[in-house]
């Protein structure tokens, strides 16, 4: 094993896994996997790096930095985005408007979202959520959607499949507002003249502090939510301490009537009793009680079943009591499922309405959304397919990996070997005599590295 990895007298200070034959083998493997990986069932892209939650988080971070309202995840917009992605794969197009007259507004309306304002961003071929977001922000029209004060809600779908004969990841981002209310940035620009607040005399005035967000009774799906509040008749710099059930959580400073506390780490799941107080003074807010619920709702996959009945399919499954909304998206169609007291949902879907992709979506009372791809459940004949089959396929697929994963593994492996060789030569004083050989291997590694990362980009629309 030493001869394979570490330079020594036994291998003439040339590890077998860094010789020309080995480098040629790595090159052949990389070329074969990246050229024919799709035919072998190895996905090209690392879909796990792009998720709906990541896209929404990046969007809200951008808006918050500009003083805009953050957007709430909306199940109807999420269903609309999923339906749009499915439709693009089924009809094989890449545009806001489909070949059969499909429009973004059609998908939003059919999902049951009665918008006053609505918008759509599209992306394909990216490998990371950051890459998608950066490309959108570099495009004036896409940035205008992300930074618009007209929107209150957001829904995102991330779907992998073959589009125009190439395996890719589609990202659909839908924006909406059910009212005519709009929002303006609260962050002042650097060039804007700021008028200092008037000096308030303390004599005869009452000092107070209160928490304005979250509010008592709120159920919040964002475990990293900030605590916001305001003070009255507090002047100059002051420090606000945040207590949770009388225990100090942290503090924040401010010099205006508004203050905001970022816990940095997530709030624990469950109920919290918060109180704010001015440090060093007996000025406290009322206690507010809110609940963190960031756990997605549960659909019992063992209960999932799809049965063929004449010219339709019957879908049935059990779900958790906290679910407030169920939707079934297949192709470009969206079906609403009725909730029942026994927490068992059933739906009959005409066979002709079943698309290539079928997704079950559940929303709980905190706004968390769970998505389950059940495309494989719809089979010809009267066969019933339960979840173990699809889970087995996903498990095998995860073992095989992705072309990107294999490429990065080889590049990382060679880098480790090269680092070991440099270290050994340095320790033995042979580094100067081996510069040429190390340069050759290093140049090969750099070329391969650039080639691997060359595809880490995509297109927006």
């Amino acid at each position: 094993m030493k001869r394979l990895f570490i330079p020594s007298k036994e291998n003439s200070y040339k590890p077998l896994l860094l010789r020309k034959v080995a480098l040629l083998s790595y090159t052949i493997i990389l070329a074969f996997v990246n050229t024919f990986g799709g035919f072998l069932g190895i996905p090209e892209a690392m879909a796990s790096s792009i998720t709906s939650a990541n896209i929404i988080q990046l969007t809200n971070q951008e808006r918050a930095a500009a003083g805009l309202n953050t957007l709430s995840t909306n199940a109807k917009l999420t269903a609309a985005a999923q339906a749009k992605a499915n439709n693009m794969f089924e009809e094989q197009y890449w545009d806001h408007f489909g070949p059969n007259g499909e429009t973004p507004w059609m998908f939003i309306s059919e999902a049951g979202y009665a918008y006053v304002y609505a918008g759509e961003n599209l992306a394909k071929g990216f490998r990371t959520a950051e890459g998608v977001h950066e490309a959108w922000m570099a495009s004036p029209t896409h940035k205008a959607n992300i930074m618009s004060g007209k929107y209150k809600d957001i829904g995102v779908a991330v779907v992998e499949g073959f589009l125009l004969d190439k395996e890719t990841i589609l990202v659909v981002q839908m924006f909406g507002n059910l009212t005519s209310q709009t929002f303006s940035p609260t962050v002042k620009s650097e060039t804007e003249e700021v008028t200092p607040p008037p000096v308030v005399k303390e004599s005869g005035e009452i000092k107070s502090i209160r928490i304005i967000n979250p509010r008592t009774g709120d159920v919040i799906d964002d475990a990293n939510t900030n605590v916001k509040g305001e003070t009255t008749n507090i002047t100059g710099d002051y420090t606000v301490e945040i207590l949770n059930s009388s225990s100090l959580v942290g503090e924040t400073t401010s010099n205006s009537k508004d203050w905001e506390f970022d816990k940095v780490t997530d709030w624990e799941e469950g109920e919290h009793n918060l109180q704010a107080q001015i440090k060093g003074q007996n000025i406290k807010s009322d206690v507010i009680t809110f609940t963190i619920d960031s756990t997605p709702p549960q659909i019992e996959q063992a209960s999932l079943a799809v049965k063929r009945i004449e010219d339709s399919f019957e879908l049935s499954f059990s779900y958790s009591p906290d679910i407030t909304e169920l939707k079934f998206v297949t192709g470009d169609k969206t079906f609403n499922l009725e909730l029942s007291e026994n927490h068992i949902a059933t739906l009959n879907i005409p066979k002709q309405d079943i698309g290539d992709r079928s997704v079950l979506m559940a929303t709980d009372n905190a706004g968390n959304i769970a998505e389950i791809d059940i495309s494989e459940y719809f089979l010809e004949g009267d066969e019933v397919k339960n979840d173990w089959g699809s889970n087995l396929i996903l498990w095998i697929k995860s073992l095989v990996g992705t072309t990107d994963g294999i490429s990065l593994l080889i590049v990382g492996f060679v880098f480790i070997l090269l680092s070991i060789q440099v270290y050994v030569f340095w320790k033995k004083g042979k580094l100067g005599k081996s510069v040429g050989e190390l340069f050759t291997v290093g140049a090969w590694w750099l070329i391969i590295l650039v080639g691997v990362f060359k595809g880490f980009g995509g297109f927006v629309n």
Side-chain angles (χ1 to χ4, degrees):
M1 293 295 291
K2 184 178 180 181
R3 296 178 62 196
L4 293 174
F5 299 98
I6 301 174
S8 61
K9 290 182 179 180
E10 289 79 5
N11 55 26
S12 301
Y13 291 97
K14 293 182 179 179
L16 300 182
L17 292 178
L18 272 184
R19 297 192 177 189
K20 293 180 180 179
V21 174
L23 298 183
L24 178 62
S25 301
Y26 302 146
T27 305
I28 293 173
I29 293 172
L30 287 169
F32 182 81
V33 168
N34 285 275
T35 303
F36 302 105
F39 297 103
L40 299 174
I42 304 175
E44 177 185 355
M46 295 181 290
S48 60
S49 62
I50 304 179
T51 65
S52 300
N54 288 342
I55 295 292
I56 293 171
Q57 181 182 16
L58 290 168
T59 299
N60 278 332
Q61 285 176 354
E62 199 77 56
R63 292 176 66 89
L68 281 166
N69 62 302
T70 55
L71 304 177
S72 301
T73 305
N74 183 276
K76 292 183 173 67
L77 285 179
T78 303
Q82 182 72 45
K84 174 61 180 285
N86 289 349
N87 185 252
M88 283 193 288
F89 277 122
E90 290 187 357
E91 301 296 333
Q92 289 296 293
Y93 70 95
W94 164 242
D95 205 326
H96 292 288
F97 302 95
N100 301 315
E102 299 94 338
T103 69
W105 335 122
M106 179 190 80
F107 296 105
I108 294 174
S109 297
E110 290 183 352
Y113 190 90
Y115 65 90
V116 174
Y117 299 107
E120 177 186 74
N121 283 345
L122 303 178
K124 72 170 182 176
F126 288 89
R127 312 299 177 87
T128 66
E130 290 77 10
V132 173
H133 181 72
E134 289 170 5
W136 278 337
M137 290 301 294
S139 165
T141 54
H142 297 85
K143 180 179 179 179
N145 270 337
I146 291 174
M147 305 303 290
S148 175
K150 294 180 179 179
Y151 301 133
K152 293 177 64 177
D153 302 318
I154 188 173
V156 175
V158 179
V159 184
E160 184 179 357
F162 281 88
L163 182 67
L164 305 176
D165 298 324
K166 184 177 181 181
E167 187 177 17
T168 190
I169 295 173
L170 288 184
V171 184
V172 181
Q173 185 181 46
M174 296 283 197
F175 304 91
N177 189 346
L178 296 171
T179 72
S180 58
Q181 179 187 12
T182 59
F183 303 87
S184 300
T186 58
V187 175
K188 297 185 181 295
S189 66
E190 294 180 2
T191 58
E192 183 176 355
E193 186 176 337
V194 179
T195 303
V199 177
V200 179
K201 296 181 180 180
E202 290 190 27
S203 178
E205 296 177 338
I206 299 174
K207 296 181 178 181
S208 65
I209 183 172
R210 71 187 185 105
I211 298 173
I212 59 176
N213 184 69
R215 297 167 298 181
T216 292
D218 282 354
V219 179
I220 301 173
D221 62 353
D222 182 6
N224 196 30
T225 191
N226 287 356
V227 181
K228 299 178 182 179
E230 62 182 16
T231 59
T232 303
N233 298 326
I234 306 291
T235 59
D237 293 335
Y238 61 92
T239 299
V240 177
E241 294 180 323
I242 303 297
L243 308 175
N244 186 16
S245 298
S246 301
S247 297
L248 181 65
V249 177
E251 59 184 41
T252 184
T253 58
S254 178
N255 56 11
S256 68
K257 70 180 185 67
D258 300 310
W259 54 267
E260 183 171 353
F261 170 70
D262 183 354
K263 188 174 179 290
V264 181
T265 59
D266 288 348
W267 296 96
E268 293 182 359
E269 294 278 307
E271 188 176 273
H272 297 274
N273 301 293
L274 293 190
Q275 186 176 40
Q277 66 181 22
I278 303 297
K279 187 174 184 178
Q281 302 184 46
N282 189 27
I283 303 173
K284 300 181 179 180
S285 72
D286 293 334
V287 176
I288 64 102
T289 301
F290 73 101
T291 302
I292 291 292
D293 179 6
S294 59
T295 304
Q298 297 296 313
I299 294 175
E300 297 179 13
Q301 293 199 25
S303 69
L304 266 168
V306 175
K307 181 182 290 186
R308 170 76 179 277
I309 302 176
E310 296 182 352
D311 291 328
S312 65
F313 289 96
E314 182 184 81
L315 167 66
S316 62
F317 59 91
S318 301
Y319 58 90
S320 57
D322 61 334
I323 288 179
T324 58
E325 190 173 30
L326 287 168
K327 288 182 179 294
F328 174 66
V329 180
T330 180
D332 60 358
K333 292 181 170 57
T334 301
F335 297 86
N336 294 307
L337 284 79
E338 292 187 6
L339 302 179
S340 63
E341 293 183 359
N342 60 1
H343 308 303
I344 297 176
T346 59
L347 178 67
N348 271 338
I349 313 109
K351 180 183 176 183
Q352 63 269 20
D353 287 342
I354 297 297
D356 291 339
R357 286 173 177 77
S358 298
V359 177
L360 193 59
M361 304 176 63
T363 307
D364 64 15
N365 52 19
N368 299 300
I369 299 175
E371 301 178 20
I372 302 177
D373 189 330
I374 58 173
S375 305
E376 299 294 330
Y377 285 66
F378 295 92
L379 304 175
E380 292 296 331
D382 296 328
E383 184 176 355
V384 176
K385 182 177 177 66
N386 285 314
D387 66 304
W388 67 268
S390 58
N391 287 341
L392 179 62
I393 292 173
L394 292 174
W395 179 72
I396 294 174
K397 189 174 181 180
S398 68
L399 287 181
V400 173
T402 66
T403 58
D404 285 338
I406 294 171
S407 299
L408 291 174
L409 180 64
I410 292 176
V411 169
F413 176 68
V414 174
F415 176 76
I416 292 173
L417 291 179
L418 187 59
S419 300
I420 293 174
Q421 189 168 22
V422 170
Y423 176 76
V424 171
F425 282 167
W426 173 71
K427 289 289 289 184
K428 293 186 176 294
K430 297 177 178 290
L431 191 58
K433 298 179 180 180
S434 307
V435 169
E437 181 181 341
L438 292 174
F439 178 81
T440 300
V441 179
W444 173 91
W445 178 83
L446 185 60
I447 292 171
I448 294 299
L449 180 68
V450 171
V452 167
F453 282 97
K454 184 179 179 181
F456 278 63
F459 305 90
V460 297
N461 199 349

